[in-house]
């Protein structure tokens, strides 16, 4: 065996959701958008497909994207860091802030990638349980070099109010609080509004969910410009390619299309939230594009397996025995299929 670092050999490695290539499958397991990206994305990518654009390196900091996103989100473009998906941003943040032997803290049950990032870095990882109603505990551990809080959270789809986010940021200061807003576009509030007065806050976003670009890989962070200048040293020089930059810029500039798609997804979420309890599920009210579904009367893993046999893929999640199904809000037709199959199984 080659001398791979012992922390790498000791770790299991992050296992992403199943990506089946079968086009017949109703895919409700990794929270992709069921609708295509804006037509303007296709135009922009086609326009970028010239010999000259492909031959040359892309903008290292994505300045055209930063200007567009700065305008739409009303933030300073110099406070935006681009990433090859927001997972790339989370890696950059870990490398920048967490020394070997350092500490990362995150609530649980939550996004499991954070633990893998700690293991890769040779850092310790502390899970802090959410309260039973998915809020932050009264006391948060001190001494973490980095704290991750997904808001809305996955798998619950719940949110922590911004006042609590601000309180947590103060509790962990001067270390950063990373607010992972992968699903914030489906919620009512965003931590972006806290940035001007909370200097240790870093907000991350992705184009994989609300902008329907999971296949393109694009995400970004918003933080104080002085912080972004340091983070830019950590990232690969050209971590986003010409095509993903063109796609992301066109997508964020088409806010009319974005709002139209968002409204459809929220309507389907409302429908599923109403229909699933009638089938025996306990559904947590969601602020994201998915629903966390549990049952008191029977195990849910066989339901996941039976749905998969019937070509409906949902995500079975198990956190040390606390388990459930995380179901993406797809199109209305997909929701109908899901409900019909569940009725037939149950
Ligand atoms: C999907 C997701 C991400 C990652 O998104 P990518 O941009 O596709 O890497 C990050 N955080 C959470 C909580 C997510 O669910």
């Amino acid at each position: 065996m080659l001398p791979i670092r012992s922390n790498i050999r000791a770790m299991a490695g992050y296992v992403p959701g199943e990506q089946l290539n079968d086009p017949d499958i109703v895919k409700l397991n990794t929270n992709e958008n069921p609708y295509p990206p804006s037509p303007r994305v296709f135009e922009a990518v086609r326009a970028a497909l010239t010999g000259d654009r492909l031959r040359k390196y892309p903008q290292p900091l994505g300045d055209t994207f930063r200007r567009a996103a700065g305008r739409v989100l009303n933030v300073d473009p110099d406070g935006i860091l681009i990433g090859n998906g927001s997972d790339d941003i989370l890696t950059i943040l870990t490398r920048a802030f967490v020394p070997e032997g350092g500490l990362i803290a995150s609530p649980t049950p939550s996004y499991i990638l954070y633990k893998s990032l700690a293991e890769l870095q040779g850092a310790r990882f502390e899970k802090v349980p959410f309260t039973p109603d998915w809020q932050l505990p009264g006391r948060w551990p001190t001494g973490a070099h980095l704290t991750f809080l997904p808001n809305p959270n996955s798998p619950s789809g719940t949110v922590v109010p911004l006042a609590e986010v601000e309180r947590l940021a103060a509790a962990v200061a001067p270390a950063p609080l990373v607010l992972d807003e992968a699903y914030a576009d489906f919620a009512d509030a965003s931590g972006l509004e806290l940035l001007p007065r909370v200097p240790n806050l870093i907000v991350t976003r992705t184009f994989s969910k609300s902008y329907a670009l999971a296949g393109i890989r694009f995400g970004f962070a918003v933080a104080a410009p002085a912080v972004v200048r340091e983070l830019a040293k950590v990232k690969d020089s050209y971590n986003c390619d010409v095509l993903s930059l063109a796609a992301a810029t066109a997508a964020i500039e088409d806010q009319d299309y974005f709002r139209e798609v968002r409204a459809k997804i929220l309507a389907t979420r409302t429908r599923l939230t109403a229909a699933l309890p009638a089938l025996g599920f306990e559904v947590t009210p969601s602020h994201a594009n998915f629903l966390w579904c549990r049952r008191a009367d029977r195990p849910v893993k066989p339901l996941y397996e039976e749905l998969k046999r019937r070509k409906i893929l949902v995500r079975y999640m198990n956190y040390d025995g606390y388990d459930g199904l995380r179901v993406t809000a797809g199109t209305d037709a997909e929701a109908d299929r899901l409900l019909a199959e569940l009725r037939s199984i149950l």
Side-chain angles (χ1 to χ4, degrees), residues 58-60 82-85 88 217-219 235-242 244-245:
Q59 292 178 341
I82 58 168
N84 181 30
D88 179 35
R217 313 302 305 131
F218 194 87
K235 79 176 190 67
D236 290 350
S237 307
Y238 307 108
N239 60 334
C240 298
D241 61 74
V242 185
S244 67
L245 283 165

Side-chain angles (χ1 to χ4, degrees), residues 85-87 90 111 114 150 154 180 182-183 206 208-209 217-218:
S86 70
D87 287 350
L90 303 177
Y111 192 34
Y114 307 137
S154 168
D180 181 343
Y183 302 103
T206 176
S208 299
K209 280 87 187 220
R217 313 302 305 131
F218 194 87

Side-chain angles (χ1 to χ4, degrees), residues 60-85:
L61 298 177
D63 281 330
T64 306
F65 169 79
R66 299 208 298 176
R67 276 193 299 275
R71 251 190 330 270
V72 170
L73 301 172
N74 196 25
V75 299
D76 183 348
D78 291 336
I80 296 176
L81 179 81
I82 58 168
N84 181 30

Side-chain angles (χ1 to χ4, degrees), residues 87-150:
D87 287 350
D88 179 35
I89 296 283
L90 303 177
T91 300
I92 292 166
L93 293 170
T94 304
R95 291 172 66 197
F97 287 106
V98 186
E100 235 187 83
L103 179 66
I104 295 179
S106 172
T108 186
S110 176
Y111 192 34
I112 38 201
L113 178 70
Y114 307 137
K115 179 166 183 233
S116 303
L117 293 174
E119 290 169 338
L120 284 170
Q121 196 68 5
R124 288 166 295 131
F125 183 69
E126 183 164 349
K127 292 189 271 193
V128 187
F130 274 115
T131 64
D133 58 349
W134 299 97
Q135 294 303 305
L136 298 176
R139 276 178 54 87
W140 190 266
T142 52
H145 295 87
L146 194 58
T147 297
F148 286 115
L149 175 67

Side-chain angles (χ1 to χ4, degrees), residues 168-192:
L168 179 59
V172 303
L177 169 64
V178 177
L179 198 60
D180 181 343
E181 290 200 332
Y183 302 103
D185 284 328
F186 304 105
D188 302 324
S190 158
L192 286 178

